[in-house]
Structures are given as C-alpha cells and as structure tokens.
Amino acid sequence: MAGRPDEGQAFPQPYGGDNAWTQELLGHLRPAGRDLRRLVAWLARTVRASVCLQDAGGGLLAGERLPLDDAVVADVTSGRVSAAALQDGERHLRLLGIRHPGSGPAARAVLAVARPAPFDRRTADILGHTAGVLELLLRERELAESGRRLRRATADLRLAILQLLMVEDTVSARRVAAGLWPGLLEEDTARVYVLEGTAVERDRLADACVAATDGRALVVRCPAVDEHVIVVGPSAEVGQRLRSLVADRPGTFLGGSPRQRLALTATAYGQAVTALAVARFHPDRAAVYAARTRPAQLMDTAALRAWAAAVLRPLDALPHHVRAELLATTRLGLEFTAVNAAKVLGVSRNTVRARMDRVAALLGADLSRATARAIVHAALNTEAAHGTYDPRGGAPGPPARTRLAELLDTSALRSWAEGLLGRLDTDGRDLRGTLRAWTAADAHAERAAQALGVHAQTVRERVRAAEPVLERRLTAGGTDLYEVVLAQLVTGELPVPGLGAPDQDQPDASVHR
C-alpha cells in the first residue's frame, strides 16, 4: 500500500459544466434535508463508491465501515496531513479530515471514500464540496448537542433549587438561584403552580412556561409525574401569565396554591396538586386552592401549637438540619406516595421510607394507620404554619399539657365534622358507613369489604362516589383524606389513637371517644 499527503483540502468550481450534483448537494443544507446519513448515502451513489464517516476516535457516524490503515487515519485526525490518497490493489481510497474552523489542525471526523475507479477531477470536486457541507452539519450537530447539554444542566439546577425549597433549605436555594436568576427568590413568599398536559408535550409546555414568565419564576419538569410542570412564582403576574398560557393550549390544566412562605413550598405544592384536580372540571381549566374552612382554624391556636410541640418533642434532641430533613421528608411522604416523594426530593424511595420509619419510631406512631398519619400530618403542618413553639410563651412555668381528644372536643369542630360527613347521609348506598369502614381499615378496600360483607370493588366505587360529595380527593391520600379522618375522630366514628408510650410525658394516650 502506498500513500501521499495532499497539499490541502480544496473547494474548486464545478468541472465541465456539470452542476446537477451541486444543486443536489445544496439540498442537504435545507432544514428538512440536514442529515449526515442521507448526505453520505447521496455521496456514495453520486461517486459510485463505498463511503465511511467516522469520528476521531473511530466511531462510525454514517455510511459503512471500511478497512483503513490506522497509521494514515492517525495522520489525518492529528492534522499532520489534511487529506490522503491511497491505492490498495484495485481499490482507490481517499481520506479527508473534517475540522472545526479555527480550532487547530486536528480533525474531529474523517471521511473515507473507496471505489474501484480512480478519482477524476469531477469526483474530487464532489468530495471537496461534500466535505465542506459535512463540516457545517457536524458543527450544527455539535452546537445542538451543546445546547441540549446546557438545557439539561439548567433543568437539573432548577430541580435542585426546588428540592432545596421542599426540604425548607431556603438559604441554599437562594444561593444556588442567585448565580443564574438574580432576585428570583428574594421575596419570602411565593405561589406554587402545577400545569398538566401530556408527557409527549411536557418539554414544550415547560419551555412555554419559561418564555411566559420571562425569568420571574422557577420552572421545573416534575420528577414524579411525567405530565406535570411545576412553577414557583413570587409575583402575582406569574399566575396571570400562566392562565393566559393555558387558555391558548387546549388539553392543558393549571392548579395554583395561595401565597405561602418559601419554607412551606412542599405544602403549597400539595395545595396546587389539589387545585389541579378541580381545574379539570372548570371551563377555563384553571383553579386556585380553595380557601375553605380547615379543622385547624376551629381549634384554639395556643393549645394546638402546644399539642403539636408535644407530639414532635422526641425530635427536638436531633441536630437542627437532621430534624428539618426528617420532617420535610415525612411531610411529603404523608402527602404523596413514597415513590413520588422520593422523585420530588431527588433521593431513593428507600431513603424516604427510612427517614419516615425513623420519625415514626421516635414519635411512637404507627404510620401504616390512617389515624396516626392524620395526627402526625396535623402536628407537622401546625409547626410549619406557625413556626417553632415557645413552650413558656413568656410566662413562668411549663405550659399546660393538651391532649388531642380535648382539642377535638369543641362545638365548632363538631359542627364542622357533622356538616362535612352529613353530606353523605342522603345517599342510599350508605356512603358514610362505607367510608368509615374504609378509613378504619387504613384505606384497604379488601379489609373494609370483609367488615361490611360486600365486594371490594363495591367499596372502591362507593369511596370514589363520596369524593365529589365531600369535594375532596380520598383515594390519592394526603390532606383531603386526613381532614375526613379528623372529622371521623371528632364525631367518634373512629377512636382517637395514642402516640408513644401512654405515660405522663406523652401528648396522647390511647383514648376511645
């Protein structure tokens, strides 16, 4: 085998007046025709040759794999020669280096063309011009890949900020956001929005949200639900722009939370998801979390805070960052499934379960029970809403101990609970009794069915029928279910459970009302 280096890559004018191939080559620069494989296949047909385009590392980019001399390929890729012409028996071979403009002599790809006939002037023209087009297409491809990597890195950074907010680490979230989005999280409060479209269109929806909010919001592709985009917007204008966006996109829905402290981003997220369920039935496909009466609003605030502090007291000995991490994870784990909570937080589901198991052990709470989950959820939300409780409140001596049964035993709460559950009494299917059996069975339809003597599918259908009557999502768990459980505790349809050992230091002993 013999070889000679060419003087350099040339781009001569079409030879002999044959310019049909130039028009075809230009067609590969049109937006619809920019494809390396199609261009290499065209070259193979036009010059009646076998063609291979490989990267500097030997990876095949297009065409067919050809046996090449490693030493000659190394000379071309290193830039020692820009092109080489070889003859191996009956095979005539040309190698051309495809380079970055202004990036030095090294080639980022090699075009190899082998054919039985020698390379004439016309064939050399076609190869030279094709190499120039390949250079443009490779450059465009690399720029597109760089853009994808940048968008992916930006999306990962946005998700990291959201995850910091979810675990109440607002200081770190602001620090991370400050570099790319100055002022985004300067305010202490924000609203959380969740938009729902299709999984296929989710990326376009997220890009549209970024454009619509013009840097005034944190836009994140939800790590837990493929159809969702999460938006954290400090300004009220963000909500208006998102509503306009949804109005112009059929099949898209928007749920929003009320304004919440940044430390309550996880709570606001749950509220936005609840509002999203309502938005599916609104003509404008948008809804904000309803400001309906909550059981906590009907309790004595000081007594409620004292009770919540007593429930969570076993966690107070933990380092502050560990305690905050455990509580934030448990709050999300109680609101959503462990799998979805793990995706939102960016940890494994085993980590979520381990943290929740640790909290359950410290609190002496069996979180497999619906009543225990509702009580711990109430305690966590009370602390999140009101901050750390001062046990003395400025007065000497320890605070008066409050038990949950005492908190629930008020006329205001009884009126609220009866009003809520009483909506089910007019249905002839005994929705109220079925719901009571279902929550007593910790939301297991099969166990509730055994207690009622009906089929499990009947239980499921009745629970789903109760949802629009109560205006609450029950089968999905979370806040709506826990409110119904609290109502059943108030009316005595469920027993008030105890947390921890039944001694004088525990906030609740096992009490049946």
Side-chain angles (χ1 to χ4, degrees):
M1 178 183 290
R4 63 175 177 81
D6 286 348
E7 292 298 327
Q9 185 173 314
F11 300 93
Q13 295 298 316
Y15 176 70
D18 176 14
N19 64 356
W21 63 268
T22 62
Q23 299 300 318
E24 295 175 3
L25 181 57
L26 286 173
H28 288 277
L29 285 173
R30 295 188 179 96
R34 295 174 187 172
D35 184 278
L36 290 175
R37 292 184 176 85
R38 289 175 56 186
L39 177 55
V40 167
W42 171 86
L43 177 62
R45 292 193 306 271
T46 303
V47 301
R48 298 179 181 179
S50 298
V51 181
C52 168
L53 179 67
Q54 65 182 46
D55 60 29
L60 185 65
L61 298 176
E64 57 183 290
R65 180 71 70 180
L66 297 177
L68 302 174
D69 185 296
D70 292 339
V72 178
V73 172
D75 284 342
V76 174
T77 55
S78 66
R80 284 192 288 270
V81 295
S82 60
L86 311 171
Q87 185 174 357
D88 181 10
E90 297 182 353
R91 186 179 73 152
H92 297 266
L93 183 67
R94 287 284 180 97
L95 283 83
L96 291 84
I98 311 296
R99 292 170 173 78
H100 276 297
S103 63
R108 68 178 185 273
V110 176
L111 176 66
V113 182
R115 65 184 221 153
F119 287 83
D120 54 21
R121 177 72 176 274
R122 174 180 178 275
T123 305
D125 283 349
I126 295 174
L127 290 184
H129 284 283
T130 302
V133 173
L134 283 171
E135 183 177 280
L136 292 175
L137 294 186
L138 284 171
R139 179 63 174 160
E140 180 188 51
R141 176 168 151 169
E142 291 173 1
L143 288 173
E145 180 59 29
S146 296
R148 282 192 292 271
R149 287 196 298 268
L150 178 59
R151 287 193 295 273
R152 190 180 306 117
T154 303
D156 290 344
L157 187 58
R158 292 176 185 271
L159 175 58
I161 295 170
L162 176 67
Q163 289 168 341
L164 289 169
L165 291 175
M166 287 288 192
V167 296
E168 304 179 20
D169 191 351
T170 56
V171 174
S172 297
R174 283 176 168 139
R175 186 178 298 123
V176 174
L180 290 178
W181 303 285
L184 176 62
L185 300 178
E186 280 185 353
E187 295 186 30
D188 293 328
T189 60
R191 293 179 174 88
V192 175
Y193 304 90
V194 177
L195 293 91
E196 180 180 87
T198 64
V200 174
E201 293 291 323
R202 202 259 293 267
D203 285 348
R204 293 187 182 91
L205 179 60
D207 291 341
C209 289
V210 171
T213 56
D214 193 25
R216 294 182 175 89
L218 178 70
V219 179
V220 181
R221 292 161 178 80
C222 179
V225 183
D226 292 340
E227 296 81 10
H228 287 185
V229 175
I230 303 170
V231 180
V232 181
S235 120
E237 184 182 359
V238 169
Q240 298 168 3
R241 295 191 176 197
L242 293 178
R243 282 179 177 271
S244 298
L245 175 65
V246 167
D248 294 336
R249 299 176 74 96
T252 305
F253 305 92
L254 172 67
S257 76
R259 184 172 290 278
Q260 296 279 15
R261 292 187 294 112
L262 285 179
L264 294 181
T265 299
T267 299
Y269 170 60
Q271 293 172 338
V273 171
T274 299
L276 181 64
V278 177
R280 297 188 186 101
F281 303 100
H282 277 205
D284 59 356
R285 293 177 277 113
V288 176
Y289 188 69
R292 61 195 182 202
T293 302
R294 302 293 173 185
Q297 296 172 308
L298 303 175
M299 301 181 192
D300 180 84
T301 302
L304 176 63
R305 294 185 64 189
W307 167 80
V311 170
L312 302 178
R313 186 174 301 140
L315 303 174
D316 292 347
L318 298 173
H320 175 74
H321 69 282
V322 174
R323 185 183 189 277
E325 181 180 71
L326 291 178
L327 293 189
T329 302
T330 302
R331 191 178 299 116
L332 274 178
L334 291 174
E335 198 68 48
F336 306 101
T337 65
V339 173
N340 284 350
K343 290 178 180 178
V344 171
L345 292 173
V347 298
S348 72
R349 60 183 176 183
N350 289 336
T351 298
V352 171
R353 288 171 177 147
R355 291 175 183 174
M356 293 183 69
D357 287 345
R358 186 177 180 187
V359 170
L362 288 170
L363 300 185
D366 181 2
L367 294 182
S368 67
R369 304 300 307 272
T371 49
R373 291 170 71 89
I375 290 172
V376 173
H377 181 267
L380 292 175
N381 279 358
T382 298
E383 182 179 286
H386 298 284
T388 304
Y389 176 67
D390 180 359
R392 297 184 182 275
R401 191 174 307 282
T402 303
R403 295 182 182 275
L404 180 60
E406 298 169 357
L407 278 176
L408 301 180
D409 191 18
T410 67
S411 58
L413 271 174
R414 282 194 298 273
S415 177
W416 165 80
E418 284 294 349
L420 177 64
L421 300 176
R423 302 178 194 176
L424 304 172
D425 292 339
T426 58
D427 195 290
R429 291 170 292 181
D430 190 21
L431 297 185
R432 185 166 180 174
T434 302
L435 185 59
R436 178 171 61 249
W438 183 71
T439 52
D442 303 314
H444 288 280
E446 291 79 7
R447 284 162 42 192
Q450 291 176 1
L452 293 171
V454 298
H455 195 277
Q457 186 59 28
T458 300
V459 173
R460 296 187 186 97
E461 290 174 356
R462 290 179 181 176
V463 171
R464 283 195 291 269
E467 289 183 321
V469 178
L470 298 176
E471 298 180 340
R472 283 162 173 79
R473 298 181 311 149
L474 302 176
T475 54
T479 298
D480 284 358
L481 173 60
Y482 301 145
E483 284 191 359
V484 171
V485 171
L486 284 177
Q488 291 171 328
L489 293 175
V490 171
T491 61
E493 296 177 48
L494 290 178
V496 178
L499 300 182
D503 59 37
Q504 62 179 5
D505 292 329
Q506 295 302 324
D508 288 291
S510 189
V511 179
H512 291 259
R513 302 180 67 247

